[in-house]
Amino acid sequence: MNQNVNQRLGKNFFIRDATEVAPALVGKILARNFSDGRIIRRLITEVEIYRGEEDEACHASKGMTRRTRVMYSEGGRIYVYLIYGMYWMLNFVTGPEGHPQAVLIRGIEGFDGPGKLTRALEIDGTFYGEDLTRSERIWIEENRRKFRIGKGTRIGIDYAGEEWRSKPWRYFLKNT
DNA sequence: GTTAAGATTCCG
DNA sequence: GGAATCTTAACG
């Protein structure tokens, strides 16, 4: 059966471990419904995993704080934070409740860079904790098309130890 | 209360 | 290479 409407991804997609969710997110569609009614849909092109209190690159390595609290919730919520006083970073919480993990959205079609895409999508602190599976202003849609996906090390985390710096926890769309 | 540093981007 | 710009976390 052909259907023109893409299916919104639900809780079952996000409550899996970040190592499963991250590669699965690449090639999916990020939908944003602006306050004026415009809706834009863009392919997710690049993501990174931040997983557990052991991960020295993950904000949760400092334990549960006001900022990291949402990462401890059940997968499907949004974790956003401000970096360098000017860029909002968009993350999707994954995994079961009680285990802090999230996937950083580093790029979408047309906007390469985590700070650039949030500016384009008008994502800010008000999205902290938003439920991706229920929100009316942001959600993820299934994509029947399949893609070649590459992987590599995470960007901008030189402060973390070798074990964590070298994890192949960045995934991206390969040019076809 | 003070301070150093940051999952970035842009400019010179 | 360095600034912009401000929140967070660490220390006191």
Side-chain angles (χ1 to χ4, degrees), chain A residues 38-94:
Chain A
R38 278 179 308 124
I39 296 181
I40 73 171
R41 292 180 166 83
R42 300 274 179 153
L43 283 185
I44 295 174
T45 57
E46 187 177 5
V47 304
E48 278 176 1
I49 295 170
Y50 290 88
R51 184 184 180 283
E53 293 181 343
E54 329 78 69
D55 179 3
E56 294 171 10
C58 181
H59 291 160
S61 61
K62 311 289 187 189
M64 190 189 291
T65 64
R66 208 168 75 152
R67 179 168 70 155
T68 64
R69 198 170 83 79
V70 75
M71 277 203 276
Y72 290 77
S73 64
E74 190 175 69
R77 290 188 182 280
I78 287 179
Y79 168 45
V80 283
Y81 67 91
L82 188 66
I83 189 70
Y84 298 113
M86 49 180 84
Y87 300 107
W88 292 100
M89 300 286 104
L90 174 64
N91 301 253
F92 302 155
V93 176
T94 61

Side-chain angles (χ1 to χ4, degrees), chain A residues 134-150:
Chain A
R134 291 176 163 278
S135 173
E136 293 183 20
R137 51 183 186 160
I138 186 171
W139 63 88
I140 310 301
E141 294 177 357
E142 185 55 84
N143 189 354
R144 296 157 70 189
R145 215 183 132 190
K146 300 302 173 197
F147 300 90
R148 301 178 70 88
I149 296 174

Side-chain angles (χ1 to χ4, degrees), chain A residues 23-39:
Chain A
L25 266 177
V26 177
K28 294 291 190 292
I29 298 162
L30 175 54
R32 170 79 167 99
N33 180 14
F34 294 94
S35 52
D36 65 3
R38 278 179 308 124
I39 296 181

